[in-house]
Amino acid sequence: MNKVGLWSDCHNFPSLPLMKLSAYHKSIGDTIETYMPINHYDLVYASKVFSFTDDIDVESIIQADEVIKGGSGYCISVKDGKEVFDSSRNKPLPKEIEHIYPDYSLYPEYSYAVGFLTRGCPRNCGFCVVGKKEGLCSKQVADLSEFWRGQKEIKLLDPNILACKNHEELLRQLAESNAKVDFTQGLDIRLTNPDNIRLLNQVKTSMLHFAWDDPKQDLTEYFKQFSQYTTVKSDRNKSVYVLTNYNSTIEEDLYRIYTLRDLGYNPYVMIYQKETAPKQIRRLQRWVNCRRIFRVVDKFENYTGGR
Ligand code: SF4
């Protein structure tokens, strides 16, 4: 029987790999605990989501016979302001652990189920590492029953579920669960059609997220079509991320923002490399993302805040 310590840099969300590792090690009789620097372990797992957070051993020497590190935070680094993916450091979980039912008791403060039904994305957006990490095809990796057993809420981590050829069957599974579903990574509006929108209508949701990242693509007709078939009518429940400071002019940013607002969607400005972004883009973000102001100040040129 081994004593296993679990560490993650993710503090506001349960770590899915750690929950799976916990389930696996419990199943073979090991004892599990959250990693404490004063204790000694046979094995420590460190799971890092972010490249900018401190590593497990920054402040203390790990007392363990073996340390296994994994997660995007170890294989993504930032060079010249761009995220770089190092595939040699990418360590997927072994198959028998990847597909185990997660040990949700590790995080009693969260009551929802969490997981991936699909992995990968064909879009290969320049600012995103999903394609390099998970592949350029969205493939089904699980049925819902693999990580859901009656919880009232499901947080889906799929990068682009609508790009999967089985997505209609997966949407049916989500609808039949009757649980409230959060598509945390958003839905690709370019892949919506009357059939899958009707299926989405059967899935319980409180908020749908989309993105309009590329200003060179006019997505107006897709948003119009979605509005025509969806039962989600309020703009408060349809949010659209608008990427700025990444190959777009302020005119292109404003075009997307005004168009979305006129179509009954809630634009939400995201800034690429915010630390070095021009002041005008930060003001734009403040104006749009502060709902109270955005509702009363109709044009960016009339917004006087943050000058
Ligand atoms: S569509 Fe989304 S998940 Fe896919 S590459 Fe672009 S940003 Fe990443």
Side-chain angles (χ1 to χ4, degrees):
M1 189 174 87
N2 287 318
K3 184 174 169 184
V4 179
L6 303 174
W7 177 91
S8 170
D9 66 342
C10 189
H11 302 300
N12 299 317
F13 200 78
S15 165
L16 185 56
L18 292 190
M19 288 195 288
K20 291 180 179 179
L21 287 162
S22 173
Y24 171 74
H25 280 279
K26 281 183 180 173
S27 76
I28 57 170
D30 293 338
T31 59
I32 303 293
E33 68 176 44
T34 302
Y35 168 75
M36 305 269 284
I38 50 164
N39 291 344
H40 180 273
Y41 299 92
D42 298 296
L43 172 61
V44 166
Y45 287 104
S47 170
K48 206 157 154 352
V49 178
F50 308 106
S51 51
F52 53 83
T53 53
D54 285 341
D55 203 349
I56 180 175
D57 46 11
V58 159
E59 284 174 5
S60 61
I61 296 162
I62 310 169
Q63 300 184 65
D65 298 342
E66 189 182 0
V67 179
I68 299 177
K69 294 182 176 183
S72 301
Y74 290 116
C75 46
I76 295 170
S77 54
V78 179
K79 275 197 190 114
D80 301 327
K82 289 217 167 207
E83 286 191 337
V84 180
F85 178 71
D86 180 352
S87 58
S88 66
R89 304 188 76 186
N90 187 27
K91 287 190 203 139
L93 293 174
K95 226 174 180 177
E96 69 273 21
I97 304 180
E98 177 63 35
H99 294 285
I100 206 166
Y101 183 75
D103 176 14
Y104 290 109
S105 72
L106 206 57
Y107 298 96
E109 65 272 40
Y110 302 113
S111 57
Y112 48 76
V114 58
F116 291 87
L117 292 169
T118 63
R119 297 262 197 175
C121 177
R123 297 284 183 202
N124 208 16
C125 302
F127 52 85
C128 175
V129 295
V130 166
K132 292 167 197 84
K133 188 165 179 256
E134 301 181 5
L136 288 171
C137 180
S138 172
K139 288 190 183 149
Q140 182 177 355
V141 293
D143 282 313
L144 185 58
S145 56
E146 188 172 299
F147 58 88
W148 173 78
R149 291 186 185 163
Q151 290 91 333
K152 289 197 173 77
E153 202 180 336
I154 298 167
K155 294 217 181 266
L156 270 195
L157 306 176
D158 302 42
N160 194 341
I161 190 170
L162 298 184
C164 174
K165 68 177 181 352
N166 296 347
H167 75 270
E168 293 199 354
E169 161 56 21
L170 296 173
L171 292 180
R172 267 183 219 106
Q173 290 183 16
L174 291 166
E176 280 163 17
S177 76
N178 213 25
K180 193 163 89 179
V181 178
D182 181 358
F183 296 93
T184 65
Q185 305 306 296
L187 294 165
D188 190 334
I189 193 76
R190 296 160 289 186
L191 297 171
T192 54
N193 57 49
D195 290 339
N196 60 26
I197 299 169
R198 283 191 198 99
L199 282 169
L200 276 168
N201 288 341
Q202 294 166 32
V203 179
K204 229 193 239 178
T205 56
S206 56
M207 167 69 86
L208 291 177
H209 297 278
F210 302 96
W212 187 349
D213 293 326
D214 184 354
K216 311 295 183 266
Q217 279 191 316
D218 195 342
L219 306 186
T220 307
E221 292 307 314
Y222 294 102
F223 285 108
K224 274 189 190 165
Q225 175 184 252
F226 190 82
S227 295
Q228 188 185 340
Y229 290 97
T230 184
T231 50
V232 180
K233 294 300 173 198
S234 169
D235 63 343
R236 288 169 200 263
N237 304 112
K238 289 178 291 175
S239 182
V240 184
Y241 297 126
V242 176
L243 185 68
T244 62
N245 202 34
Y246 185 84
N247 298 339
S248 68
T249 62
I250 188 79
E251 290 75 23
E252 288 170 329
D253 298 339
L254 285 169
Y255 173 76
R256 286 176 288 163
I257 290 163
Y258 293 143
T259 304
L260 288 166
R261 185 178 61 185
D262 294 348
L263 291 173
Y265 292 80
N266 219 345
Y268 190 90
V269 169
M270 307 290 284
I271 304 181
Y272 185 71
Q273 292 175 3
K274 188 170 179 180
E275 314 73 49
T276 52
K279 199 173 172 193
Q280 188 187 35
I281 299 292
R282 292 156 179 259
R283 285 188 64 239
L284 182 76
Q285 185 183 52
R286 238 173 286 150
W287 169 59
V288 175
N289 295 1
C290 181
R291 291 294 144 207
R292 271 184 305 120
I293 298 174
F294 190 60
R295 278 179 203 284
V296 290
V297 181
D298 64 334
K299 293 268 181 223
F300 184 46
E301 67 234 39
N302 299 332
Y303 174 61
T304 52
R307 284 195 192 276

